[in-house]
C-alpha cells in the first residue's frame, strides 16, 4: 500500500476509540465496524510502525509505552485537524467570556503583558482569570483553558504546547551577604531552601556534579503553595529558591536576585501547555482565538 493510500487520520480515530472504549469490540460498535476489522487495522498499524501498541495477552486491553505515546499524539493531531477544518469553514467572531486558570507566575510574568494585544484584536471578548498552582478539574472549576507545566496526564484534555523554560536557583544579594554564597552542592545543606508545599514530579533539585545529573534532596526551611510566593520570599532574603527562568529574569537583570550554582545547573526544561476540553464538539470561537494567540505569542 503506497503512502498516498493510507488514511492515517482514520487509523488514529479507530486506535483512539480502541483505547478509550477499552477494547476492539467496543470500539467496533462505535466506529460501525466489525471487531475483526478493528483488530486487523490495529495490526496493520503496528506492522507499519514496527512497534507493538497493544498487549493482547490479557483480558483487559493494555497499552505498551509506545502505544501510550502514540495515543497521546493521536488525540492532539486529531484535535488539530478538527481545528483546521473549523477555522477554514467558520467565520464566527470571537465573543463572550473566557475563563482562564493559570499559575500566578505564568499569569503575572507571561500572560498579563500579552493580554492588551489580545483584547485589542478581540474587543468582544471578556476574561475571567484565576491564579493557582494546583492541578484543577476544568469542568468543576468551569475553566475554558488551564495553563500548566508538565505533560498531558488526562485523556479528557487536549494539550497545546506553549513553550519551555529553564530553571534557576536564585537568592537576594542581602541573603548572600548574611549567609554567604554556596559554592558546592554540599553547601546547600546549610542554607534555607524554599520549597513547594504540594507534591512535585521531582522530589528535589536536579544538579550537575562530575558530569552526572544528580537529584539533591531538599528539606525546605520554608514551604509555599505557589511560585510567585516563592519568588517574593527569595526577594525578601528568606532563602534560596529554584524557579522558572521567566519569573526571575527581570529581577536578575535589575540586581534584585542573583543566580546561584549556575555551573551545576543541569539545563533541564519545564514545558508549559494550554489544556482544554477537546472532545465535546467544536471549540467556541473565543477559546480558539485565545489558544491560537497564545501559541503564536508566548515566549518563555
Amino acid at each position: 500500500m503506497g503512502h498516498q493510500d493510507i488514511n492515517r487520520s482514520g487509523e488514529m480515530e479507530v486506535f483512539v476509540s480502541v483505547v478509550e472504549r477499552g477494547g476492539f469490540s467496543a470500539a467496533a460498535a462505535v466506529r460501525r465496524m466489525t471487531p475483526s476489522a478493528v483488530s486487523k487495522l490495529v495490526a496493520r498499524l503496528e506492522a507499519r510502525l514496527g512497534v507493538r501498541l497493544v498487549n493482547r495477552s490479557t483480558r483487559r486491553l493494555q497499552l505498551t509505552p509506545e502505544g501510550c505515546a502514540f495515543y497521546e499524539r493521536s488525540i492532539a493531531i486529531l484535535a488539530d485537524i478538527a481545528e483546521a477544518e473549523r477555522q477554514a469553514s467558520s467565520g464566527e467572531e470571537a465573543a463572550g467570556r473566557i475563563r482562564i486558570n493559570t499559575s500566578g507566575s505564568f499569569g503575572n510574568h507571561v500572560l498579563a503583558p500579552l493580554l492588551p494585544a489580545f483584547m485589542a484584536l478581540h474587543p468582544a471578548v471578556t476574561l475571567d482569570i484565576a491564579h493557582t498552582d494546583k492541578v484543577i478539574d476544568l469542568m468543576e472549576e468551569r475553566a475554558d483553558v488551564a495553563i500548566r507545566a508538565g505533560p498531558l496526564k488526562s485523556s479528557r484534555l487536549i494539550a497545546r504546547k506553549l513553550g519551555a523554560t529553564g530553571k534557576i536557583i536564585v537568592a537576594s544579594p542581602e541573603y548572600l551577604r548574611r549567609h554567604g554564597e554556596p559554592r558546592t552542592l554540599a553547601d546547600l545543606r546549610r542554607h534555607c531552601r524554599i520549597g513547594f508545599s504540594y507534591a512535585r514530579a521531582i522530589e528535589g533539585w536536579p544538579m550537575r556534579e562530575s558530569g552526572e545529573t544528580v537529584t539533591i534532596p531538599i528539606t525546605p526551611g520554608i514551604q509555599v503553595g505557589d511560585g510567585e510566593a516563592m519568588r517574593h520570599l527569595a526577594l525578601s532574603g528568606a532563602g534560596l529558591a529554584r524557579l522558572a527562568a521567566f519569573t526571575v529574569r527581570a529581577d536578575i537583570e535589575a540586581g534584585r536576585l542573583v543566580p546561584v550554582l549556575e555551573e551545576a545547573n543541569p539545563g533541564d526544561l519545564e514545558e508549559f501547555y494550554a489544556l482544554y476540553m477537546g472532545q465535546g464538539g467544536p471549540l467556541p470561537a473565543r477559546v480558539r482565538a485565545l489558544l491560537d494567540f497564545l501559541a503564536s505569542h508566548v515566549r518563555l
Side-chain angles (χ1 to χ4, degrees):
M1 181 180 291
H3 286 286
Q4 68 273 18
D5 299 323
I6 300 173
N7 182 355
R8 285 178 167 79
S9 63
E11 287 182 338
M12 287 180 178
E13 289 175 345
V14 173
F15 181 72
V16 167
S17 294
V18 168
V19 176
E20 296 186 344
R21 297 291 172 172
F24 297 137
S25 296
V30 172
R31 308 305 307 182
R32 295 184 179 180
M33 300 168 64
T34 65
S36 175
V38 171
S39 179
K40 289 178 180 178
L41 183 148
V42 173
R44 287 197 304 270
L45 179 59
E46 290 175 323
R48 191 177 80 250
L49 298 178
V51 295
R52 181 175 290 277
L53 301 174
V54 179
N55 285 324
R56 300 166 174 79
S57 58
T58 60
R59 290 184 179 180
R60 184 175 179 82
L61 179 142
Q62 291 182 336
L63 290 178
T64 64
E66 293 80 9
C68 289
F70 187 74
Y71 167 69
E72 297 292 355
R73 289 296 300 141
S74 292
I75 58 176
I77 289 169
L78 291 172
D80 285 343
I81 292 173
E83 180 67 14
E85 292 176 345
R86 283 193 293 269
Q87 288 186 15
S89 62
S90 174
E92 182 186 358
E93 178 187 3
R97 178 177 296 183
I98 307 174
R99 294 181 173 87
I100 306 170
N101 190 289
T102 183
S103 67
S105 294
F106 190 96
N108 286 320
H109 298 281
V110 180
L111 186 62
L114 296 176
L115 291 182
F118 176 76
M119 298 301 290
L121 287 172
H122 304 286
V125 167
T126 59
L127 300 176
D128 183 345
I129 303 171
H131 287 172
T132 177
D133 277 32
K134 294 181 180 179
V135 177
I136 67 161
D137 184 311
L138 264 66
M139 294 187 68
E140 184 176 325
E141 296 292 331
R142 296 169 57 201
D144 296 299
V145 176
I147 301 172
R148 288 292 182 272
L152 176 66
K153 295 182 179 179
S154 171
S155 62
R156 295 187 306 152
L157 302 180
I158 303 298
R160 190 158 180 180
K161 187 175 178 179
L162 301 179
T165 183
K167 305 292 284 291
I168 306 175
I169 297 176
V170 293
S172 71
E174 175 60 24
Y175 175 86
L176 296 177
R177 278 194 292 271
R178 286 187 284 112
H179 299 280
E181 182 175 345
R183 301 292 182 182
T184 67
L185 301 191
D187 289 344
L188 287 175
R189 295 188 180 91
R190 63 181 179 82
H191 284 270
C192 178
R193 287 95 61 190
I194 307 169
F196 287 103
S197 58
Y198 55 87
R200 307 295 287 175
I202 299 176
E203 297 297 330
W205 291 352
M207 308 289 286
R208 292 291 288 179
E209 185 175 43
S210 301
E212 300 279 336
T213 299
V214 298
T215 299
I216 304 299
I218 298 299
T219 304
I222 303 174
Q223 290 184 318
V224 293
D226 66 86
E228 196 62 2
M230 183 180 291
R231 169 179 166 267
H232 282 289
L233 283 168
L235 285 167
S236 72
L240 305 176
R242 188 171 192 263
L243 289 161
F246 68 79
T247 68
V248 294
R249 190 174 291 124
D251 296 320
I252 292 172
E253 291 174 356
R256 294 186 294 267
L257 290 174
V258 177
V260 173
L261 286 171
E262 269 297 276
E263 66 278 5
N265 190 327
D268 56 313
L269 296 177
E270 187 172 52
E271 297 181 335
F272 277 77
Y273 294 86
L275 306 177
Y276 59 98
M277 302 294 294
Q279 299 176 7
L283 278 175
R286 66 185 190 281
V287 176
R288 184 170 68 246
L290 176 67
L291 293 170
D292 290 343
F293 180 86
L294 292 177
S296 300
H297 291 78
V298 166
R299 299 290 182 269
L300 301 179

